[in-house]
Coordinates of all heavy atoms in Angstrom, one line a residue:
P98 N 18.3 -7.3 3.5 CA 17.6 -8.5 3.8 C 16.9 -8.4 5.2 O 17.5 -7.9 6.1 CB 18.7 -9.6 3.8 CG 19.7 -9.1 2.9 CD 19.7 -7.6 3.1
I99 N 15.6 -8.8 5.3 CA 14.8 -8.6 6.4 C 15.5 -9.2 7.7 O 15.3 -8.7 8.8 CB 13.4 -9.1 6.2 CG1 12.5 -8.7 7.4 CG2 13.3 -10.6 6.0 CD1 12.2 -7.2 7.5
A100 N 16.1 -10.3 7.5 CA 16.8 -11.0 8.7 C 17.9 -10.0 9.3 O 18.0 -9.9 10.5 CB 17.4 -12.3 8.3
V101 N 18.6 -9.3 8.4 CA 19.6 -8.4 8.8 C 18.9 -7.1 9.4 O 19.4 -6.6 10.5 CB 20.5 -8.0 7.6 CG1 21.5 -6.9 8.0 CG2 21.2 -9.2 7.1
S102 N 17.9 -6.7 8.8 CA 17.2 -5.5 9.2 C 16.6 -5.7 10.6 O 16.6 -4.8 11.5 CB 16.1 -5.1 8.2 OG 15.6 -3.8 8.6
R103 N 16.0 -6.9 10.8 CA 15.4 -7.2 12.2 C 16.5 -7.2 13.2 O 16.3 -6.7 14.3 CB 14.7 -8.5 12.1 CG 13.4 -8.5 11.4 CD 12.8 -9.8 11.2 NE 11.4 -9.7 10.7 CZ 10.9 -10.7 10.0 NH1 11.5 -11.8 9.7 NH2 9.6 -10.6 9.5
A104 N 17.7 -7.8 12.9 CA 18.8 -7.9 13.9 C 19.4 -6.5 14.1 O 19.8 -6.2 15.3 CB 19.8 -8.9 13.4
L105 N 19.6 -5.7 13.1 CA 20.4 -4.5 13.3 C 19.5 -3.2 13.4 O 19.5 -2.6 14.4 CB 21.3 -4.3 12.1 CG 22.4 -5.4 12.0 CD1 23.3 -5.1 10.8 CD2 23.2 -5.6 13.2
E106 N 18.7 -3.0 12.4 CA 17.8 -1.8 12.5 C 16.8 -1.9 13.6 O 16.5 -0.9 14.3 CB 17.1 -1.5 11.2 CG 18.1 -1.3 10.0 CD 18.8 0.1 10.1 OE1 19.8 0.2 10.8 OE2 18.2 1.1 9.6
G107 N 16.2 -3.1 13.8 CA 15.2 -3.2 14.8 C 15.7 -3.8 16.1 O 14.9 -3.8 17.1
G108 N 17.0 -4.2 16.2 CA 17.5 -4.8 17.4 C 18.7 -4.1 17.9 O 18.8 -3.5 19.0
F109 N 19.8 -4.1 17.1 CA 21.1 -3.5 17.5 C 20.9 -2.1 17.9 O 21.5 -1.6 18.8 CB 22.1 -3.7 16.4 CG 23.5 -3.1 16.7 CD1 24.4 -3.9 17.4 CD2 23.8 -1.9 16.3 CE1 25.7 -3.3 17.7 CE2 25.0 -1.3 16.5 CZ 26.0 -2.0 17.2
S110 N 20.1 -1.3 17.1 CA 20.0 0.1 17.3 C 19.4 0.4 18.7 O 19.7 1.4 19.4 CB 19.1 0.7 16.2 OG 17.8 0.2 16.3
L111 N 18.5 -0.5 19.2 CA 17.9 -0.3 20.5 C 18.9 -0.6 21.6 O 18.9 0.1 22.6 CB 16.7 -1.3 20.6 CG 15.6 -1.0 19.6 CD1 14.5 -2.0 19.7 CD2 15.0 0.4 19.7
G112 N 19.7 -1.6 21.4 CA 20.8 -1.9 22.3 C 21.8 -0.7 22.4 O 22.3 -0.4 23.5
L113 N 22.1 -0.1 21.3 CA 22.9 1.0 21.2 C 22.3 2.2 22.0 O 23.0 2.8 22.8 CB 23.1 1.4 19.8 CG 23.8 2.7 19.5 CD1 25.3 2.7 20.0 CD2 23.8 3.0 18.0
G114 N 21.0 2.4 21.9 CA 20.4 3.4 22.6 C 20.4 3.2 24.1 O 20.7 4.1 24.9
Q115 N 20.2 1.9 24.5 CA 20.2 1.5 25.9 C 21.6 1.8 26.5 O 21.7 2.1 27.7 CB 19.8 0.1 26.1 CG 19.6 -0.3 27.6 CD 18.5 0.5 28.3 OE1 17.4 0.7 27.8 NE2 18.8 0.9 29.5
Y116 N 22.6 1.5 25.8 CA 24.0 1.8 26.3 C 24.1 3.2 26.7 O 24.7 3.5 27.8 CB 25.0 1.5 25.2 CG 26.4 2.0 25.5 CD1 27.2 1.2 26.3 CD2 26.9 3.2 25.1 CE1 28.5 1.6 26.6 CE2 28.1 3.6 25.5 CZ 29.0 2.8 26.2 OH 30.2 3.2 26.6
Y117 N 23.5 4.2 26.0 CA 23.7 5.6 26.4 C 22.7 6.0 27.5 O 23.0 6.9 28.3 CB 23.5 6.5 25.2 CG 24.7 6.4 24.3 CD1 24.7 5.7 23.1 CD2 25.9 7.1 24.7 CE1 25.8 5.6 22.3 CE2 27.0 7.0 23.9 CZ 27.0 6.2 22.7 OH 28.1 6.1 22.0
V118 N 21.6 5.2 27.7 CA 20.8 5.4 28.8 C 21.6 5.0 30.1 O 21.6 5.8 31.1 CB 19.5 4.5 28.8 CG1 18.8 4.4 30.1 CG2 18.6 5.0 27.7
D119 N 22.2 3.9 30.0 CA 23.0 3.4 31.2 C 24.2 4.4 31.4 O 24.5 4.7 32.6 CB 23.5 2.0 30.9 CG 22.4 1.0 30.8 OD1 21.3 1.3 31.3 OD2 22.6 -0.1 30.2
L120 N 24.8 4.8 30.3 CA 26.0 5.7 30.5 C 25.5 7.1 31.1 O 26.2 7.6 32.0 CB 26.7 6.0 29.1 CG 28.0 6.8 29.2 CD1 29.0 6.1 30.0 CD2 28.5 7.0 27.7
A121 N 24.4 7.6 30.7 CA 23.9 8.8 31.2 C 23.6 8.7 32.7 O 23.9 9.7 33.4 CB 22.7 9.3 30.4
R122 N 23.1 7.6 33.1 CA 22.8 7.5 34.5 C 24.1 7.4 35.4 O 24.0 7.5 36.6 CB 22.0 6.2 34.7 CG 20.5 6.4 34.2 CD 19.6 5.3 34.5 NE 18.2 5.7 34.2 CZ 17.4 4.9 33.6 NH1 17.7 3.7 33.3 NH2 16.1 5.3 33.4
S123 N 25.2 7.1 34.8 CA 26.5 7.1 35.5 C 27.2 8.5 35.6 O 28.2 8.6 36.2 CB 27.4 6.1 34.9 OG 28.0 6.5 33.7
L124 N 26.6 9.4 34.9 CA 27.2 10.8 34.8 C 26.8 11.6 36.0 O 25.9 11.2 36.8 CB 26.9 11.5 33.5 CG 27.3 10.7 32.2 CD1 26.8 11.5 31.0 CD2 28.8 10.6 32.1
G125 N 27.3 12.8 36.0 CA 26.9 13.8 37.0 C 27.7 13.9 38.3 O 27.5 14.8 39.1
Q126 N 28.7 13.0 38.5 CA 29.6 13.2 39.6 C 30.6 14.3 39.3 O 31.1 14.4 38.2 CB 30.3 11.9 39.9 CG 29.3 10.7 40.2 CD 28.5 11.0 41.4 OE1 29.0 11.5 42.5 NE2 27.2 10.8 41.3
P127 N 30.9 15.1 40.3 CA 32.0 16.1 40.1 C 33.3 15.5 39.7 O 33.7 14.5 40.2 CB 32.1 16.8 41.5 CG 30.8 16.4 42.3 CD 30.4 15.1 41.7
D128 N 33.9 16.2 38.7 CA 35.2 15.8 38.2 C 36.2 16.8 38.8 O 36.4 17.9 38.3 CB 35.3 15.8 36.7 CG 36.6 15.3 36.1 OD1 37.5 15.0 36.9 OD2 36.7 15.2 34.9
I129 N 36.8 16.4 39.9 CA 37.8 17.4 40.6 C 39.2 16.8 40.5 O 39.4 15.6 40.8 CB 37.4 17.5 42.1 CG1 35.9 18.0 42.2 CG2 38.4 18.4 42.8 CD1 35.4 18.1 43.6
R130 N 40.1 17.6 40.0 CA 41.5 17.2 39.7 C 42.5 18.1 40.5 O 42.2 19.2 40.8 CB 41.7 17.3 38.2 CG 40.7 16.5 37.4 CD 41.0 16.6 35.9 NE 39.9 16.0 35.1 CZ 40.0 15.9 33.8 NH1 41.0 16.3 33.1 NH2 38.9 15.4 33.1
P131 N 43.6 17.5 40.7 CA 44.6 18.3 41.5 C 45.1 19.5 40.7 O 45.0 19.5 39.4 CB 45.8 17.3 41.6 CG 45.2 15.9 41.4 CD 44.1 16.1 40.5
S132 N 45.4 20.5 41.4 CA 45.9 21.8 40.7 C 47.3 22.0 41.2 O 47.6 22.0 42.4 CB 45.0 22.9 41.1 OG 45.5 24.1 40.6
Q133 N 48.3 22.3 40.3 CA 49.7 22.6 40.7 C 49.8 23.9 41.4 O 50.7 24.1 42.2 CB 50.6 22.5 39.5 CG 50.8 21.1 38.9 CD 49.6 20.5 38.2 OE1 48.8 21.3 37.6 NE2 49.3 19.2 38.4
M134 N 49.0 24.9 41.0 CA 49.1 26.3 41.5 C 48.0 26.7 42.5 O 48.1 27.8 43.1 CB 49.2 27.2 40.4 CG 50.4 26.9 39.4 SD 52.0 27.1 40.2 CE 52.1 28.8 40.5
G135 N 47.0 25.9 42.6 CA 45.8 26.3 43.4 C 45.3 25.2 44.2 O 46.0 24.2 44.4
R136 N 44.1 25.3 44.7 CA 43.5 24.2 45.5 C 43.1 23.0 44.7 O 43.3 21.9 45.1 CB 42.4 24.8 46.3 CG 41.9 23.9 47.5 CD 40.8 24.6 48.3 NE 39.5 24.5 47.7 CZ 38.6 25.5 47.8 NH1 38.8 26.5 48.7 NH2 37.4 25.4 47.2
E137 N 42.3 23.3 43.6 CA 41.8 22.2 42.8 C 41.3 22.8 41.5 O 41.2 24.0 41.3 CB 40.6 21.5 43.5 CG 39.4 22.4 43.7 CD 38.3 21.8 44.5 OE1 38.7 20.9 45.4 OE2 37.2 22.2 44.3
T138 N 41.1 21.9 40.5 CA 40.5 22.2 39.2 C 39.2 21.4 39.1 O 39.2 20.2 39.2 CB 41.4 22.0 38.1 OG1 42.6 22.8 38.2 CG2 40.7 22.3 36.7
R139 N 38.1 22.1 38.8 CA 36.8 21.4 38.6 C 36.6 21.4 37.1 O 36.6 22.4 36.4 CB 35.7 22.1 39.3 CG 35.9 22.2 40.8 CD 34.7 22.9 41.4 NE 33.5 22.1 41.3 CZ 33.1 21.3 42.3 NH1 33.8 21.1 43.3 NH2 31.9 20.6 42.1
V140 N 36.4 20.2 36.5 CA 36.2 20.0 35.1 C 34.7 19.8 34.9 O 34.2 18.8 35.4 CB 37.0 18.9 34.5 CG1 36.7 18.8 33.0 CG2 38.5 19.2 34.7
E141 N 34.0 20.7 34.2 CA 32.6 20.5 34.0 C 32.2 20.4 32.5 O 32.9 20.9 31.6 CB 31.9 21.8 34.5 CG 32.1 21.9 36.0 CD 31.2 23.0 36.6 OE1 30.6 23.8 35.9 OE2 31.1 23.1 37.9
H142 N 31.1 19.7 32.2 CA 30.7 19.4 30.9 C 29.3 19.9 30.7 O 28.4 19.9 31.6 CB 30.7 17.9 30.6 CG 32.0 17.2 30.8 ND1 33.0 17.3 29.9 CD2 32.5 16.5 31.9 CE1 34.1 16.6 30.4 NE2 33.8 16.2 31.6
S143 N 29.1 20.5 29.5 CA 27.7 21.0 29.2 C 27.4 20.7 27.8 O 28.3 20.3 27.0 CB 27.7 22.6 29.3 OG 28.7 23.2 28.5
P144 N 26.1 20.7 27.4 CA 25.7 20.3 26.0 C 26.3 21.2 25.0 O 26.4 22.5 25.2 CB 24.2 20.5 26.0 CG 23.8 20.4 27.5 CD 24.9 21.0 28.2
I145 N 26.8 20.7 23.9 CA 27.4 21.5 22.9 C 26.4 22.4 22.2 O 26.7 23.4 21.6 CB 28.1 20.6 21.9 CG1 29.3 21.4 21.2 CG2 27.2 20.0 20.8 CD1 30.3 20.5 20.4

Side-chain angles (χ1 to χ4, degrees):
I99 189 67
V101 176
S102 190
R103 285 171 175 154
L105 298 181
E106 298 288 89
F109 179 85
S110 64
L111 300 175
L113 173 62
Q115 187 62 46
Y116 170 84
Y117 287 102
V118 169
D119 298 339
L120 186 61
R122 288 186 171 138
S123 72
L124 301 177
Q126 299 301 313
D128 184 358
I129 301 174
R130 305 183 190 182
S132 175
Q133 287 73 34
M134 301 298 291
R136 193 175 75 209
E137 65 186 28
T138 299
R139 301 181 68 90
V140 180
E141 297 189 349
H142 303 280
S143 61
I145 206 166

